[in-house]
PDB file of all heavy atoms in Angstrom:
ATOM      1  N   TYR A  69     117.760 -71.891   5.721  1.00 91.00           N
ATOM      2  CA  TYR A  69     117.073 -71.521   6.957  1.00 91.00           C
ATOM      3  C   TYR A  69     117.274 -72.587   8.032  1.00 91.00           C
ATOM      4  O   TYR A  69     117.477 -72.275   9.205  1.00 91.00           O
ATOM      5  CB  TYR A  69     115.584 -71.326   6.676  1.00 91.00           C
ATOM      6  CG  TYR A  69     114.849 -70.812   7.856  1.00 91.00           C
ATOM      7  CD1 TYR A  69     115.070 -69.529   8.314  1.00 91.00           C
ATOM      8  CD2 TYR A  69     113.979 -71.616   8.555  1.00 91.00           C
ATOM      9  CE1 TYR A  69     114.417 -69.060   9.420  1.00 91.00           C
ATOM     10  CE2 TYR A  69     113.323 -71.150   9.651  1.00 91.00           C
ATOM     11  CZ  TYR A  69     113.541 -69.871  10.086  1.00 91.00           C
ATOM     12  OH  TYR A  69     112.916 -69.412  11.185  1.00 91.00           O
ATOM     13  N   ILE A  70     117.260 -73.874   7.614  1.00 89.00           N
ATOM     14  CA  ILE A  70     117.450 -74.963   8.579  1.00 89.00           C
ATOM     15  C   ILE A  70     118.867 -74.907   9.144  1.00 89.00           C
ATOM     16  O   ILE A  70     119.088 -75.164  10.332  1.00 89.00           O
ATOM     17  CB  ILE A  70     117.138 -76.313   7.914  1.00 89.00           C
ATOM     18  CG1 ILE A  70     115.634 -76.460   7.727  1.00 89.00           C
ATOM     19  CG2 ILE A  70     117.646 -77.463   8.753  1.00 89.00           C
ATOM     20  CD1 ILE A  70     115.228 -77.624   6.894  1.00 89.00           C
ATOM     21  N   LEU A  71     119.838 -74.524   8.290  1.00 89.00           N
ATOM     22  CA  LEU A  71     121.211 -74.367   8.791  1.00 89.00           C
ATOM     23  C   LEU A  71     121.270 -73.276   9.844  1.00 89.00           C
ATOM     24  O   LEU A  71     121.915 -73.434  10.890  1.00 89.00           O
ATOM     25  CB  LEU A  71     122.145 -74.027   7.629  1.00 89.00           C
ATOM     26  CG  LEU A  71     123.582 -73.660   8.005  1.00 89.00           C
ATOM     27  CD1 LEU A  71     124.294 -74.846   8.601  1.00 89.00           C
ATOM     28  CD2 LEU A  71     124.336 -73.150   6.804  1.00 89.00           C
ATOM     29  N   TYR A  72     120.576 -72.180   9.605  1.00 90.00           N
ATOM     30  CA  TYR A  72     120.548 -71.093  10.581  1.00 90.00           C
ATOM     31  C   TYR A  72     119.945 -71.567  11.899  1.00 90.00           C
ATOM     32  O   TYR A  72     120.486 -71.301  12.978  1.00 90.00           O
ATOM     33  CB  TYR A  72     119.747 -69.918  10.016  1.00 90.00           C
ATOM     34  CG  TYR A  72     119.766 -68.704  10.901  1.00 90.00           C
ATOM     35  CD1 TYR A  72     120.802 -67.792  10.828  1.00 90.00           C
ATOM     36  CD2 TYR A  72     118.764 -68.481  11.829  1.00 90.00           C
ATOM     37  CE1 TYR A  72     120.834 -66.692  11.652  1.00 90.00           C
ATOM     38  CE2 TYR A  72     118.789 -67.396  12.659  1.00 90.00           C
ATOM     39  CZ  TYR A  72     119.826 -66.494  12.557  1.00 90.00           C
ATOM     40  OH  TYR A  72     119.860 -65.414  13.384  1.00 90.00           O
ATOM     41  N   VAL A  73     118.838 -72.293  11.821  1.00 88.00           N
ATOM     42  CA  VAL A  73     118.180 -72.770  13.038  1.00 88.00           C
ATOM     43  C   VAL A  73     119.076 -73.767  13.771  1.00 88.00           C
ATOM     44  O   VAL A  73     119.161 -73.767  15.007  1.00 88.00           O
ATOM     45  CB  VAL A  73     116.821 -73.397  12.681  1.00 88.00           C
ATOM     46  CG1 VAL A  73     116.237 -74.107  13.890  1.00 88.00           C
ATOM     47  CG2 VAL A  73     115.872 -72.336  12.228  1.00 88.00           C
ATOM     48  N   THR A  74     119.767 -74.627  13.008  1.00 84.00           N
ATOM     49  CA  THR A  74     120.646 -75.598  13.648  1.00 84.00           C
ATOM     50  C   THR A  74     121.763 -74.917  14.413  1.00 84.00           C
ATOM     51  O   THR A  74     122.174 -75.379  15.472  1.00 84.00           O
ATOM     52  CB  THR A  74     121.245 -76.525  12.576  1.00 84.00           C
ATOM     53  OG1 THR A  74     120.218 -76.924  11.697  1.00 84.00           O
ATOM     54  CG2 THR A  74     121.866 -77.734  13.214  1.00 84.00           C
ATOM     55  N   ALA A  75     122.254 -73.795  13.887  1.00 87.00           N
ATOM     56  CA  ALA A  75     123.378 -73.127  14.538  1.00 87.00           C
ATOM     57  C   ALA A  75     122.911 -72.258  15.698  1.00 87.00           C
ATOM     58  O   ALA A  75     123.597 -72.179  16.716  1.00 87.00           O
ATOM     59  CB  ALA A  75     124.150 -72.296  13.526  1.00 87.00           C
ATOM     60  N   PHE A  76     121.767 -71.602  15.556  1.00 86.00           N
ATOM     61  CA  PHE A  76     121.394 -70.587  16.538  1.00 86.00           C
ATOM     62  C   PHE A  76     120.215 -70.982  17.411  1.00 86.00           C
ATOM     63  O   PHE A  76     119.843 -70.231  18.302  1.00 86.00           O
ATOM     64  CB  PHE A  76     121.080 -69.266  15.839  1.00 86.00           C
ATOM     65  CG  PHE A  76     122.272 -68.617  15.244  1.00 86.00           C
ATOM     66  CD1 PHE A  76     122.581 -68.785  13.919  1.00 86.00           C
ATOM     67  CD2 PHE A  76     123.113 -67.847  16.028  1.00 86.00           C
ATOM     68  CE1 PHE A  76     123.693 -68.197  13.376  1.00 86.00           C
ATOM     69  CE2 PHE A  76     124.230 -67.253  15.485  1.00 86.00           C
ATOM     70  CZ  PHE A  76     124.520 -67.431  14.167  1.00 86.00           C
ATOM     71  N   GLY A  77     119.586 -72.099  17.157  1.00 82.00           N
ATOM     72  CA  GLY A  77     118.481 -72.524  18.013  1.00 82.00           C
ATOM     73  C   GLY A  77     117.134 -72.090  17.475  1.00 82.00           C
ATOM     74  O   GLY A  77     117.021 -71.156  16.670  1.00 82.00           O
ATOM     75  N   THR A  78     116.092 -72.790  17.938  1.00 80.00           N
ATOM     76  CA  THR A  78     114.768 -72.568  17.364  1.00 80.00           C
ATOM     77  C   THR A  78     114.185 -71.212  17.744  1.00 80.00           C
ATOM     78  O   THR A  78     113.432 -70.634  16.977  1.00 80.00           O
ATOM     79  CB  THR A  78     113.816 -73.680  17.823  1.00 80.00           C
ATOM     80  OG1 THR A  78     114.092 -73.980  19.187  1.00 80.00           O
ATOM     81  CG2 THR A  78     113.986 -74.907  17.004  1.00 80.00           C
ATOM     82  N   GLU A  79     114.535 -70.692  18.936  1.00 81.00           N
ATOM     83  CA  GLU A  79     113.940 -69.414  19.339  1.00 81.00           C
ATOM     84  C   GLU A  79     114.382 -68.299  18.406  1.00 81.00           C
ATOM     85  O   GLU A  79     113.565 -67.503  17.926  1.00 81.00           O
ATOM     86  CB  GLU A  79     114.336 -69.078  20.778  1.00 81.00           C
ATOM     87  CG  GLU A  79     113.476 -69.734  21.841  1.00 81.00           C
ATOM     88  CD  GLU A  79     113.931 -71.146  22.130  1.00 81.00           C
ATOM     89  OE1 GLU A  79     115.056 -71.478  21.694  1.00 81.00           O
ATOM     90  OE2 GLU A  79     113.182 -71.901  22.763  1.00 81.00           O
ATOM     91  N   LYS A  80     115.697 -68.252  18.131  1.00 83.00           N
ATOM     92  CA  LYS A  80     116.191 -67.213  17.226  1.00 83.00           C
ATOM     93  C   LYS A  80     115.666 -67.412  15.814  1.00 83.00           C
ATOM     94  O   LYS A  80     115.400 -66.441  15.098  1.00 83.00           O
ATOM     95  CB  LYS A  80     117.723 -67.225  17.216  1.00 83.00           C
ATOM     96  CG  LYS A  80     118.334 -66.267  18.194  1.00 83.00           C
ATOM     97  CD  LYS A  80     119.816 -66.143  17.906  1.00 83.00           C
ATOM     98  CE  LYS A  80     120.332 -64.801  18.311  1.00 83.00           C
ATOM     99  NZ  LYS A  80     121.779 -64.693  18.064  1.00 83.00           N
ATOM    100  N   GLY A  81     115.522 -68.680  15.416  1.00 82.00           N
ATOM    101  CA  GLY A  81     114.977 -68.947  14.093  1.00 82.00           C
ATOM    102  C   GLY A  81     113.540 -68.483  13.958  1.00 82.00           C
ATOM    103  O   GLY A  81     113.134 -67.966  12.920  1.00 82.00           O
ATOM    104  N   ARG A  82     112.776 -68.644  15.051  1.00 84.00           N
ATOM    105  CA  ARG A  82     111.390 -68.191  15.030  1.00 84.00           C
ATOM    106  C   ARG A  82     111.311 -66.673  14.905  1.00 84.00           C
ATOM    107  O   ARG A  82     110.370 -66.145  14.310  1.00 84.00           O
ATOM    108  CB  ARG A  82     110.673 -68.638  16.310  1.00 84.00           C
ATOM    109  CG  ARG A  82     109.861 -69.884  16.127  1.00 84.00           C
ATOM    110  CD  ARG A  82     108.834 -69.694  15.049  1.00 84.00           C
ATOM    111  NE  ARG A  82     108.038 -70.897  14.873  1.00 84.00           N
ATOM    112  CZ  ARG A  82     107.753 -71.420  13.711  1.00 84.00           C
ATOM    113  NH1 ARG A  82     108.236 -70.893  12.609  1.00 84.00           N
ATOM    114  NH2 ARG A  82     106.996 -72.480  13.628  1.00 84.00           N
ATOM    115  N   VAL A  83     112.303 -65.967  15.471  1.00 85.00           N
ATOM    116  CA  VAL A  83     112.304 -64.511  15.330  1.00 85.00           C
ATOM    117  C   VAL A  83     112.515 -64.134  13.867  1.00 85.00           C
ATOM    118  O   VAL A  83     111.886 -63.208  13.350  1.00 85.00           O
ATOM    119  CB  VAL A  83     113.403 -63.905  16.232  1.00 85.00           C
ATOM    120  CG1 VAL A  83     113.535 -62.417  15.979  1.00 85.00           C
ATOM    121  CG2 VAL A  83     113.080 -64.161  17.691  1.00 85.00           C
ATOM    122  N   MET A  84     113.383 -64.885  13.178  1.00 83.00           N
ATOM    123  CA  MET A  84     113.649 -64.573  11.770  1.00 83.00           C
ATOM    124  C   MET A  84     112.440 -64.849  10.893  1.00 83.00           C
ATOM    125  O   MET A  84     112.196 -64.147   9.923  1.00 83.00           O
ATOM    126  CB  MET A  84     114.820 -65.411  11.261  1.00 83.00           C
ATOM    127  CG  MET A  84     116.119 -65.105  11.902  1.00 83.00           C
ATOM    128  SD  MET A  84     116.836 -63.613  11.270  1.00 83.00           S
ATOM    129  CE  MET A  84     117.458 -64.202   9.717  1.00 83.00           C
ATOM    130  N   MET A  85     111.702 -65.911  11.206  1.00 84.00           N
ATOM    131  CA  MET A  85     110.534 -66.248  10.385  1.00 84.00           C
ATOM    132  C   MET A  85     109.423 -66.747  11.297  1.00 84.00           C
ATOM    133  O   MET A  85     109.396 -67.915  11.656  1.00 84.00           O
ATOM    134  CB  MET A  85     110.893 -67.320   9.354  1.00 84.00           C
ATOM    135  CG  MET A  85     109.784 -67.594   8.380  1.00 84.00           C
ATOM    136  SD  MET A  85     110.347 -68.619   7.043  1.00 84.00           S
ATOM    137  CE  MET A  85     108.799 -69.023   6.279  1.00 84.00           C
ATOM    138  N   PRO A  86     108.516 -65.853  11.719  1.00 85.00           N
ATOM    139  CA  PRO A  86     107.442 -66.258  12.632  1.00 85.00           C
ATOM    140  C   PRO A  86     106.529 -67.305  12.012  1.00 85.00           C
ATOM    141  O   PRO A  86     106.516 -67.495  10.793  1.00 85.00           O
ATOM    142  CB  PRO A  86     106.680 -64.950  12.881  1.00 85.00           C
ATOM    143  CG  PRO A  86     107.640 -63.889  12.544  1.00 85.00           C
ATOM    144  CD  PRO A  86     108.512 -64.424  11.468  1.00 85.00           C
ATOM    145  N   GLU A  87     105.776 -67.961  12.894  1.00 83.00           N
ATOM    146  CA  GLU A  87     104.989 -69.103  12.427  1.00 83.00           C
ATOM    147  C   GLU A  87     103.895 -68.673  11.451  1.00 83.00           C
ATOM    148  O   GLU A  87     103.563 -69.404  10.532  1.00 83.00           O
ATOM    149  CB  GLU A  87     104.362 -69.802  13.632  1.00 83.00           C
ATOM    150  CG  GLU A  87     103.776 -71.152  13.301  1.00 83.00           C
ATOM    151  CD  GLU A  87     103.632 -72.011  14.526  1.00 83.00           C
ATOM    152  OE1 GLU A  87     103.659 -71.446  15.633  1.00 83.00           O
ATOM    153  OE2 GLU A  87     103.497 -73.223  14.373  1.00 83.00           O
ATOM    154  N   SER A  88     103.356 -67.463  11.666  1.00 86.00           N
ATOM    155  CA  SER A  88     102.253 -67.057  10.792  1.00 86.00           C
ATOM    156  C   SER A  88     102.741 -66.819   9.367  1.00 86.00           C
ATOM    157  O   SER A  88     101.946 -66.873   8.430  1.00 86.00           O
ATOM    158  CB  SER A  88     101.630 -65.781  11.345  1.00 86.00           C
ATOM    159  OG  SER A  88     102.636 -64.804  11.524  1.00 86.00           O
ATOM    160  N   TRP A  89     104.040 -66.581   9.201  1.00 88.00           N
ATOM    161  CA  TRP A  89     104.552 -66.357   7.843  1.00 88.00           C
ATOM    162  C   TRP A  89     104.501 -67.613   7.004  1.00 88.00           C
ATOM    163  O   TRP A  89     104.474 -67.527   5.778  1.00 88.00           O
ATOM    164  CB  TRP A  89     105.995 -65.848   7.913  1.00 88.00           C
ATOM    165  CG  TRP A  89     106.126 -64.457   8.398  1.00 88.00           C
ATOM    166  CD1 TRP A  89     105.237 -63.772   9.178  1.00 88.00           C
ATOM    167  CD2 TRP A  89     107.209 -63.568   8.158  1.00 88.00           C
ATOM    168  NE1 TRP A  89     105.718 -62.524   9.445  1.00 88.00           N
ATOM    169  CE2 TRP A  89     106.931 -62.372   8.833  1.00 88.00           C
ATOM    170  CE3 TRP A  89     108.394 -63.677   7.449  1.00 88.00           C
ATOM    171  CZ2 TRP A  89     107.780 -61.282   8.807  1.00 88.00           C
ATOM    172  CZ3 TRP A  89     109.251 -62.599   7.430  1.00 88.00           C
ATOM    173  CH2 TRP A  89     108.932 -61.412   8.094  1.00 88.00           C
ATOM    174  N   ASN A  90     104.557 -68.771   7.662  1.00 88.00           N
ATOM    175  CA  ASN A  90     104.521 -70.018   6.901  1.00 88.00           C
ATOM    176  C   ASN A  90     103.238 -70.115   6.085  1.00 88.00           C
ATOM    177  O   ASN A  90     103.267 -70.390   4.890  1.00 88.00           O
ATOM    178  CB  ASN A  90     104.616 -71.207   7.858  1.00 88.00           C
ATOM    179  CG  ASN A  90     106.030 -71.461   8.286  1.00 88.00           C
ATOM    180  OD1 ASN A  90     106.964 -71.110   7.577  1.00 88.00           O
ATOM    181  ND2 ASN A  90     106.191 -72.057   9.447  1.00 88.00           N
ATOM    182  N   THR A  91     102.118 -69.850   6.754  1.00 89.00           N
ATOM    183  CA  THR A  91     100.839 -69.878   6.047  1.00 89.00           C
ATOM    184  C   THR A  91     100.813 -68.846   4.941  1.00 89.00           C
ATOM    185  O   THR A  91     100.379 -69.116   3.817  1.00 89.00           O
ATOM    186  CB  THR A  91      99.703 -69.607   7.040  1.00 89.00           C
ATOM    187  OG1 THR A  91      99.985 -70.294   8.246  1.00 89.00           O
ATOM    188  CG2 THR A  91      98.393 -70.071   6.495  1.00 89.00           C
ATOM    189  N   PHE A  92     101.323 -67.641   5.273  1.00 92.00           N
ATOM    190  CA  PHE A  92     101.331 -66.563   4.286  1.00 92.00           C
ATOM    191  C   PHE A  92     102.135 -66.943   3.055  1.00 92.00           C
ATOM    192  O   PHE A  92     101.664 -66.798   1.915  1.00 92.00           O
ATOM    193  CB  PHE A  92     101.909 -65.300   4.929  1.00 92.00           C
ATOM    194  CG  PHE A  92     102.121 -64.171   3.980  1.00 92.00           C
ATOM    195  CD1 PHE A  92     101.038 -63.471   3.471  1.00 92.00           C
ATOM    196  CD2 PHE A  92     103.393 -63.823   3.578  1.00 92.00           C
ATOM    197  CE1 PHE A  92     101.231 -62.439   2.594  1.00 92.00           C
ATOM    198  CE2 PHE A  92     103.592 -62.790   2.702  1.00 92.00           C
ATOM    199  CZ  PHE A  92     102.514 -62.094   2.207  1.00 92.00           C
TER     200      PHE A  92
END
Side-chain angles (χ1 to χ4, degrees):
Chain A
Y69 186 69
I70 287 170
L71 173 66
Y72 185 85
V73 170
T74 315
F76 291 96
T78 39
E79 277 83 14
K80 266 192 151 179
R82 262 302 180 226
V83 173
M84 294 283 283
M85 187 170 169
E87 192 159 18
S88 54
W89 288 24
N90 280 335
T91 320
F92 173 72

